[in-house]
Amino acid sequence: MNQPDPSTVRYPGQWIHRDIHANGIRFHIVEVGEHEPNAPLVVLLHGFADFWYSWRHQLDALARSGVRAIAVDLRGYGDSDKPPRGYDGWTLAGDIVGLIRALGYPNATFVGHADGGLVCWASSALHPRLVRSMVLINAPHPISLRRAVLKDSAQRAALLPHFVRYQVPLRPERLLTRRGGGAVEELMRSRAGSAWKSTEDFADTAAKMSSAIRIPGAAHCALEYQRWAFRSQFRSDGRRFMDAVDVRTSIPVAQIIGDLDPYVLPTTLDRDRHWAPGLTRRTVRDVGHYVHQEAPDVVSEEILRIVREG
């Protein structure tokens, strides 16, 4: 089966596709419609084995509300560049703050799902003046996650097997891309709530994600995020990173979780208030790991609330 060209994620229609250079590479970003010059900026950051399309609902809703929302293909994903290095927390934070500067903004609201949440937490600690507020979707603080894996057997059982499986070379890439990327749909089904899994929207989204992970280099780059997150725990750069992000923030922070998420547990997210004392939390019933797609209106509403509060 032929590998898809990166341009296949540039879907036609209402989407405006742009290429922005920041932190030494090119990023593909997507937005909807025109915006007022003084419109606040919201940056939407996807999770593992994903790409910009998971934010389609929020792009629409936020644009209609007068917010400039951009969804980013993170480094290594979709139609963004896929350099061999730079999948560490320091560089990923530099990517997005560089993107904000390249767009001419002094700051932005960061919205992150899963791995995208790591970028939010890292950016708020390393570049606090660039982060106006944050919305985190099933995305614990990295120190919360580390402590949970060490001390909570349920969280360890949910998370660690995936991390360990991804550490070997080559084989995880083959598993992600074989059968037309079918492993991505399996991953989605294992973490999503039952209601969304029975919809045409799920089937369409799973097909798009399965195709996007087969773009040359995308699977390897996606796994490099996971490899750095695991391996850095045993190296000096990981210890330095954890020390650097061990700071409290006073900006508005909203945390949204699905009560059916089997991957990131509520007890792990409970620890996040240590780093964001003013954090507000919203639990959405009957949805799983992909709250922004399973309950898009709730997420859009929370983002707008945080934008106005910030």
Side-chain angles (χ1 to χ4, degrees):
M1 185 178 292
N2 293 331
Q3 294 178 299
D5 187 85
S7 64
T8 56
V9 302
R10 294 180 178 247
Y11 304 127
Q14 64 182 324
W15 316 113
I16 299 172
H17 300 272
R18 304 188 193 279
D19 293 299
I20 304 293
H21 289 264
N23 208 23
I25 66 171
R26 177 191 57 82
F27 291 93
H28 170 230
I29 70 170
V30 182
E31 56 188 312
V32 174
E34 298 301 321
H35 60 276
E36 296 295 327
N38 61 347
L41 179 66
V42 173
V43 181
L44 304 162
L45 307 170
H46 63 78
F48 174 70
D50 207 338
F51 68 117
W52 73 266
Y53 187 73
S54 65
W55 301 107
R56 60 198 176 281
H57 303 294
Q58 286 73 40
L59 286 172
D60 275 340
L62 296 176
R64 289 196 304 269
S65 298
V67 171
R68 185 181 185 187
I70 64 167
V72 184
D73 280 342
L74 293 175
R75 169 184 293 251
Y77 282 101
D79 199 15
S80 289
D81 282 349
K82 298 168 180 62
R85 299 177 184 85
Y87 300 94
D88 57 277
W90 308 91
T91 305
L92 297 172
D95 285 348
I96 305 308
V97 300
L99 184 63
I100 291 167
R101 291 189 178 111
L103 291 168
Y105 281 78
N107 54 45
T109 293
F110 282 49
V111 182
H113 172 240
D115 286 358
L118 168 67
V119 182
C120 295
W121 285 113
S123 300
S124 69
L126 303 175
H127 308 277
R129 288 183 294 180
L130 274 293
V131 185
R132 182 176 178 176
S133 52
M134 294 193 297
V135 178
L136 304 158
I137 302 167
N138 299 86
H141 191 282
I143 300 177
S144 293
L145 189 59
R146 182 181 65 178
R147 290 179 180 174
V149 170
L150 291 173
K151 298 178 179 180
D152 184 336
S153 60
Q155 182 63 82
R156 185 165 55 250
L159 186 80
L160 203 55
H162 297 277
F163 270 79
V164 172
R165 193 178 303 128
Y166 293 153
Q167 302 311 307
V168 299
L170 301 178
R171 187 169 184 269
E173 283 86 342
R174 290 196 293 267
L175 291 175
L176 273 181
T177 56
R178 69 178 182 176
R179 296 184 289 108
V184 173
E185 179 172 350
E186 291 173 5
L187 190 72
M188 293 172 64
R189 287 192 178 279
S190 70
R191 298 178 183 175
S194 58
W196 186 44
K197 286 188 287 191
S198 64
T199 66
E200 291 183 8
D201 182 66
F202 177 89
D204 178 68
T205 304
K208 285 181 167 64
M209 287 177 62
S210 298
S211 175
I213 202 64
R214 293 176 49 249
I215 291 170
H220 175 70
C221 294
L223 289 160
E224 286 296 283
Y225 285 74
Q226 308 287 301
R227 287 164 177 157
W228 178 82
F230 181 79
R231 295 173 187 177
S232 66
Q233 303 302 311
F234 310 101
R235 301 194 305 241
S236 60
D237 65 318
R239 290 191 291 273
R240 289 196 305 272
F241 177 75
M242 288 298 185
D243 288 343
V245 299
D246 191 7
V247 297
R248 294 190 178 191
T249 182
S250 59
I251 62 174
V253 178
Q255 186 184 82
I256 309 173
I257 66 174
D259 69 337
L260 300 182
D261 184 3
Y263 188 61
V264 180
L265 305 184
T267 50
T268 301
L269 295 161
D270 288 342
R271 296 177 168 89
D272 286 352
R273 283 196 173 88
H274 175 80
W275 295 278
L279 178 148
T280 60
R281 180 158 146 181
R282 185 164 181 177
T283 301
V284 188
R285 293 182 60 81
D286 302 322
V287 303
H289 188 61
Y290 304 93
V291 188
H292 54 311
Q293 301 191 76
E294 299 179 58
D297 292 344
V298 172
V299 173
S300 298
E301 176 186 298
E302 281 295 299
I303 295 171
L304 286 170
R305 182 183 67 81
I306 287 294
V307 168
R308 291 164 184 150
E309 186 177 332

